[in-house]
Amino acid sequence: MEKSRFSRRTFLKASGVSLAAMGAGARTVATATETNQSDAIGTGKGIHPGRVVWVHDPQAAKWAGPDQGHPWQDEQTDPAACEAMMSGAIRTLTGQDTDARAWDALFRHHNKVSGKGDIGYRPGEKITVKVNFVGFIRTHGGVNPETYNLDSWQDYMNTSPQLIAALLKQLTREAGVAQSDIAVGDSLAYFANEYHELLHRQFPDVTYLDCKHRPGRAQMALSDAPLYWSCDPQGARQDCLPQAFVEAAYLVNFANLKAHSGSGVTLCAKNHYGSLLRLPPEKGWYDMHPSAFSKGSGEYRNLVDLMGHSQIGGKTVLYLLDGLYSGVHPRDRAPLKWKSAPFNGGWTSSLFASQDPVAIDSVGLDFLQAELKEARAGGADDYLHEAALAHNPPSGTFYDPDHAGNVVRLASLGAHEHWNNSQERKYSRNLGKREGIELVAITTQAAKPRGVTAPGAEVKLLADGFKFTEGPAADTEGNVFFTDQPNDRICRWSVDGKLIDFMKPCGRSNGMFFDADGNLWTCADMDNELWRIDPQGNVTVFVRNFDGKLLNGPNDLWIDPKGGIYFTDPLYKRPYWTRDPAMQQDGQHVYYVTPDRAKVIRVADDLVQPNGIIGTPDGKLLYVADIGDRKTYRYRISPDATLADKTLFCSMGSDGMTIDTEGNIYLTGRGVTVFNPDGEKVEQIDINKGWTANVCFGGPDRRTLFITAMNALFGISMRVKGVY
C-alpha cells in the first residue's frame, strides 16, 4: 500500500501551528520553549484530560557521584522519598485524597474508555509493568550473562529499583493486586542481580521477566498476537507481542527521562522498542531505527503503532517517567546534573505521571530540550504530531497496528503542544483553555500526605467493661485480638463487629503479633515468657529466660520478614507474680529470637526502659520506644539481625506502636501521636481515657485503627492502610 504524505504547508494548516512559530528544518531552543499556546493539537486523555503531574524532591536522588556507590542502592536513592513521590503523583493525577481511591479511579476510568463499564480492578487480573532496562540489554555487555552481575554501565539511567518498589507497594497494598498477578521487566534485557535482589526481597511472588530463563526470573515469550507496521514493510518477518502483554489486563509504562543522540529523546513511546523480543534493527525483521532517527517532519513514525496497539497502549492504565537521574543515551554511562532551575546543578530527582501517552512525552521533551542540545534534534517531536493527529496525521499514514491493511484507523492518542517558556512551564490548560496539556507541579511537601485519618472520621467506642486493654494484633482476615490483662484473657473483635473470648487464662499476655502461618505470639507476663498460640489455642513456650536467668517480663514484640522475633524486656513488677520480683538481668534490654528458634540474642543494651517496638515490612529498620527516657529510636537492621546506626526518631516514648504503608509511626500514651518517616508529627488522635496503651490496624482492608485504652476498645477509619 502506498502511503501519501501531506505537504509541509498542509501539515501546518491541519495542526494549527503558525509558519513563523515553526520555522523550517531542525527546531531551535526557542521553538521548544516559546511556542504559542494555540499550538495544542490532539485530544487529551485521562480523568483530567491532558494532565501530567511532575513531582520534584531533591532529597530522593542523593548519589554523590562516580566512585561513591551507585544510584540503584538504597543508600544513594531514598526509598521513602520515592514512595512519597509515587503516592503524591497518583493522587494528584486523579484528584483523589487517598492512594486506594486514586487507583480505583485509574482502573475505573480505563475500563470505561475501553468499553468495559464502570468497574475497578478485579482480583486475579494480571498487570505487566514495562520498565526501561537499556543498561541491561543482552547485547550491551552491561550484565555478565553467566553471573547476572553488573559488569559495566553500573551507574546508567535504568528505571530505578526504588521507584519500581514504590509502584509495587502501591499496587499490592493500595490497589489490592496480588504479587503473583504482577510481572515486571524488559524483554531485551537481563534482570541484573543487583536490581533483582532489592526487589525480590520485598516482593518475592512478583514475576521478574528476563530475556533468558534464570533462577528467580521468567523468560519472556512471544504470543501469536501480531503487530502490523503501518508502513507495510515488505519481506520482513511478522512481529508479535510478548505473552506477558497479551495475558495482562493492564500495563504500566515505566520509562526514563532521557535524551537520545539518534532520536532526540527516548521516553514512554520509545520504551516499547524494548517490548518486542528482538532488537529494533535485527536482521530479517522490519528495521525500526530509520523511522526513529529521521530528522524530517510529517513522516510515518513507528512509535505511533506501538503507542496505539490494542495490546500495548490500549491496555496501559498509567504512564510514568523516572526522572531521578537523566542523561543522553547511548553517550552517557552515568547521569548528568542539570544546570536549569529548580535543579540548580543537582540531579533531576523527579517523577512524571499521566494517563495521556502523548502529553507525558510532550512534557518530557520540553524538559529535555531546555537542558540538552541532543533533544533539540530535528524530528524529535514528529512522532508526537503523528500520535496526536493519528486520525488525520501530517504524513497521511493510515495507522492501524492491529490489522493487516487499512481496517480501523487510530483515533487521536493524546494531546501535544510545547510549554509557553522554560521558566513558567505553562501549557494551554494551565492558562485557562479547555484543550491541550495541563502540567501540575507538586513540591516535596505536597507529595507527602498531611493527615492519616479518613476525612471526617471520628473515634468510636467499640466495646468497654474491661479492666485494662492491651496488645492488639490483627490476623490475615482483619479480626483483632487484644488482651484484658488483669482478667487474664485474650478477646477477639471480628470483622463483623462481634466480641468473644479467644483464650482464658492466657498467661497474662501483653503485647502480641501474628506470624505468617497464622500463629499468635504473645508476651506472657505471668511467668515472663514468650508464647506461640496456634489457631486452635494450643500453647508452645519458646523463651523462658536469657543466660539461665529470668527475663524481666517480655512486653512487646515484632516479627521480621525472615520470621525472627524482636522483643522488649522492661521491668514492671506485677502483683500476680510468684517469682522474686527483683531484676535478675543486668538491665532492661531488647532481644532477638532467631527464625529457627535456636538462639536468643541481646541486640540493644543501652536503653533505660524499652517498651513499644515495630519494624518496617522490608526488614530494614526497627523502631524502639524507650518509655523510660521519653524517646523513640530508629535502628538499621543488619543482615545478621543485630542493630546498628541508632538514631533519635522523636522525643517521645511509647507504650505500643504500629506503622502504616506510608511509613508513618504511631506512638501511644496520651492518645495516639503519629509521626511521618522523618520524625515530624503529622497527627494527634485524642482518646478520652487516662492512658492509651496500644494500637494496631485491622478490618478486612486494614483501614481501621484499633486502639486499646484503659477499660475500652476504640476504632477510627483511616485514610492510610496498615502494614500489619
Side-chain angles (χ1 to χ4, degrees):
M1 179 185 69
E2 183 179 351
K3 303 292 182 182
S4 64
R5 301 246 192 278
F6 282 5
S7 70
R8 175 70 172 164
R9 185 169 296 277
T10 305
F11 155 58
L12 294 171
K13 182 179 179 181
S15 62
V17 181
S18 72
L19 285 165
M22 289 296 298
R27 290 164 177 76
T28 65
V29 182
T31 302
T33 58
E34 307 298 338
T35 305
N36 188 282
Q37 288 298 304
S38 65
D39 296 341
I41 57 174
T43 304
K45 306 298 180 184
I47 298 167
H48 303 280
R51 177 174 288 187
V52 179
V53 176
W54 167 39
V55 189
H56 176 232
D57 182 357
Q59 300 305 311
K62 303 183 295 183
W63 185 45
D67 302 320
Q68 301 293 320
H70 303 288
W72 45 264
Q73 295 171 323
D74 284 348
E75 296 80 7
Q76 311 300 332
T77 300
D78 188 346
C82 290
E83 290 171 22
M85 293 169 75
M86 187 68 68
S87 172
I90 64 161
R91 283 185 286 109
T92 305
L93 180 62
T94 58
Q96 297 295 321
D97 60 353
T98 71
D99 295 348
R101 292 192 184 102
W103 281 105
D104 187 59
L106 286 171
F107 287 119
R108 287 183 181 278
H109 179 83
H110 178 84
N111 287 326
K112 283 180 185 178
V113 299
S114 299
K116 298 177 182 177
D118 185 13
I119 57 174
Y121 175 80
R122 291 172 291 189
E125 291 181 316
K126 295 187 179 299
I127 298 178
T128 294
V129 181
K130 170 58 178 73
V131 295
N132 190 272
F133 282 170
V134 172
F136 302 161
I137 288 180
R138 54 185 166 85
T139 56
H140 282 186
V143 178
N144 185 308
E146 300 301 322
T147 66
Y148 263 54
N149 293 329
L150 287 174
D151 273 357
S152 59
W153 295 50
Q154 294 204 16
D155 300 327
Y156 182 77
M157 303 78 67
N158 299 297
T159 308
S160 159
Q162 289 75 27
L163 280 176
I164 297 173
L167 173 63
L168 293 178
K169 286 181 180 180
Q170 286 283 330
L171 290 172
T172 56
R173 296 178 184 174
E174 303 297 336
V177 185
Q179 289 188 28
S180 56
D181 289 325
I182 302 173
V184 181
D186 187 331
S187 65
L188 294 179
Y190 300 113
F191 212 118
N193 287 333
E194 288 82 353
Y195 281 52
H196 183 264
E197 289 168 2
L198 282 170
L199 294 168
H200 185 266
R201 182 171 64 244
Q202 302 175 66
F203 308 98
D205 296 328
V206 165
T207 298
Y208 298 97
L209 301 169
D210 192 271
C211 65
K212 302 291 183 183
H213 183 71
R214 296 282 292 189
R217 286 89 162 163
Q219 185 173 10
M220 291 282 271
L222 279 177
S223 71
D224 57 4
L227 167 67
Y228 297 101
W229 301 108
S230 297
C231 63
D232 288 339
Q234 301 300 308
R237 297 176 63 181
Q238 177 64 56
D239 275 299
C240 291
L241 299 173
Q243 190 67 31
F245 283 29
V246 175
E247 291 177 349
Y250 307 97
L251 301 184
V252 175
N253 185 334
F254 207 157
N256 286 76
L257 181 71
K258 290 183 289 193
H260 194 288
S261 58
S263 60
V265 296
T266 173
L267 301 164
C268 284
K270 199 168 178 298
N271 190 30
H272 284 305
Y273 266 33
S275 292
L276 305 177
L277 272 63
R278 53 88 168 188
L279 296 169
E282 195 158 321
K283 187 176 181 180
W285 304 83
Y286 162 61
D287 187 349
M288 300 157 67
H289 276 165
S291 172
F293 296 169
S294 172
K295 309 305 179 188
S297 61
E299 298 183 4
Y300 163 74
R301 299 290 178 173
N302 53 41
L303 292 177
V304 180
D305 283 326
L306 292 165
M307 296 167 75
H309 196 284
S310 62
Q311 299 286 347
I312 303 177
K315 287 185 173 181
T316 302
V317 69
L318 180 63
Y319 296 87
L320 297 167
L321 280 176
D322 175 353
L324 292 177
Y325 303 95
S326 183
V328 181
H329 179 80
R331 184 194 71 192
D332 298 328
R333 302 295 175 89
L336 301 173
K337 292 184 176 181
W338 282 24
K339 298 177 182 179
S340 56
F343 313 112
N344 302 322
W347 306 120
T348 41
S349 204
S350 296
L351 174 67
F352 298 83
S354 185
Q355 293 173 278
D356 188 321
V358 182
I360 193 170
D361 276 21
S362 299
V363 170
L365 174 78
D366 281 348
F367 271 88
L368 289 163
Q369 287 191 330
E371 182 76 25
L372 300 169
K373 62 181 178 61
E374 289 81 2
R376 303 170 201 147
D381 65 350
D382 195 46
Y383 78 94
L384 295 170
H385 289 277
E386 291 284 296
L389 301 171
H391 58 295
N392 187 19
S395 69
T397 302
F398 194 109
Y399 286 106
D400 181 10
D402 281 278
H403 303 97
N406 299 347
V407 180
V408 180
R409 196 169 205 167
L410 291 179
S412 169
L413 296 179
H416 171 60
E417 60 176 310
H418 294 292
W419 58 29
N420 61 340
N421 59 66
S422 57
Q423 289 75 48
E424 294 182 301
R425 302 186 180 94
K426 292 185 182 297
Y427 292 87
S428 293
R429 292 182 189 269
N430 298 114
L431 297 171
K433 297 188 177 182
R434 302 182 66 181
E435 62 203 10
I437 295 171
E438 176 193 25
L439 177 61
V440 182
I442 58 177
T443 64
T444 304
Q445 290 303 315
K448 297 179 180 179
R450 292 292 181 182
V452 294
T453 55
E458 297 181 353
V459 175
K460 295 181 179 180
L461 174 66
L462 302 179
D464 59 6
F466 310 99
K467 284 192 175 181
F468 191 85
T469 54
E470 249 286 10
D475 64 15
T476 55
E477 296 177 356
N479 304 300
V480 173
F481 295 68
F482 63 97
T483 72
D484 182 6
Q485 195 177 31
N487 285 321
D488 200 14
R489 63 172 175 162
I490 297 174
C491 304
R492 176 180 180 269
W493 179 268
S494 67
V495 291
D496 57 359
K498 295 178 181 178
L499 179 69
I500 63 169
D501 280 353
F502 171 70
M503 175 179 284
K504 184 177 182 179
C506 64
R508 304 278 186 174
S509 289
N510 194 341
M512 303 192 296
F513 203 92
F514 277 93
D515 67 17
D517 297 322
N519 299 304
L520 181 62
W521 288 77
T522 78
C523 295
D525 200 37
M526 175 65 79
D527 294 312
N528 320 116
E529 297 170 332
L530 203 61
W531 285 11
R532 185 187 71 188
I533 307 172
D534 70 18
Q536 291 72 44
N538 301 308
V539 174
T540 304
V541 179
F542 275 89
V543 179
R544 298 178 184 273
N545 56 61
F546 180 76
D547 281 349
K549 300 176 183 178
L550 288 177
L551 292 163
N552 299 317
N555 185 277
D556 202 2
L557 74 159
W558 171 69
I559 302 177
D560 70 15
K562 299 176 183 178
I565 303 170
Y566 290 90
F567 69 90
T568 57
D569 186 44
L571 180 65
Y572 294 101
K573 297 179 181 179
R574 307 298 192 183
Y576 45 75
W577 279 353
T578 58
R579 56 166 277 187
D580 180 352
M583 182 187 295
Q584 295 191 24
Q585 298 296 327
D586 61 0
Q588 303 178 73
H589 308 308
V590 181
Y591 298 86
Y592 181 73
V593 184
T594 57
D596 60 5
R597 313 297 177 229
K599 296 179 182 178
V600 179
I601 304 166
R602 183 179 288 171
V603 291
D605 59 3
D606 56 353
L607 302 170
V608 178
Q609 191 173 43
N611 196 312
I613 190 168
I614 199 71
T616 55
D618 59 8
K620 292 182 178 180
L621 299 174
L622 184 71
Y623 294 85
V624 181
D626 189 347
I627 198 169
D629 198 27
R630 298 182 180 180
K631 292 180 176 64
T632 295
Y633 294 96
R634 178 171 57 211
Y635 296 85
R636 178 175 57 81
I637 300 175
S638 302
D640 63 357
T642 57
L643 303 180
D645 299 338
K646 179 183 178 183
T647 304
L648 178 66
F649 175 67
C650 66
S651 295
M652 175 181 169
S654 183
D655 195 341
M657 301 171 69
T658 195
I659 185 173
D660 66 31
T661 56
E662 293 177 0
N664 299 306
I665 303 298
Y666 295 66
L667 306 185
T668 60
R670 303 300 179 186
V672 181
T673 308
V674 188
F675 295 84
N676 68 19
D678 295 325
E680 303 164 339
K681 181 178 175 180
V682 294
E683 194 151 341
Q684 175 69 34
I685 304 171
D686 292 324
I687 305 296
N688 190 25
K689 292 289 181 182
W691 185 255
T692 300
N694 216 324
V695 64
C696 82
F697 283 88
D701 59 359
R702 286 295 200 278
R703 290 191 184 275
T704 301
L705 190 69
F706 288 84
I707 304 160
T708 56
M710 303 299 287
N711 66 340
L713 176 70
F714 296 90
I716 183 171
S717 297
M718 304 296 288
R719 177 188 65 79
V720 296
K721 187 176 182 180
V723 172
Y724 308 113

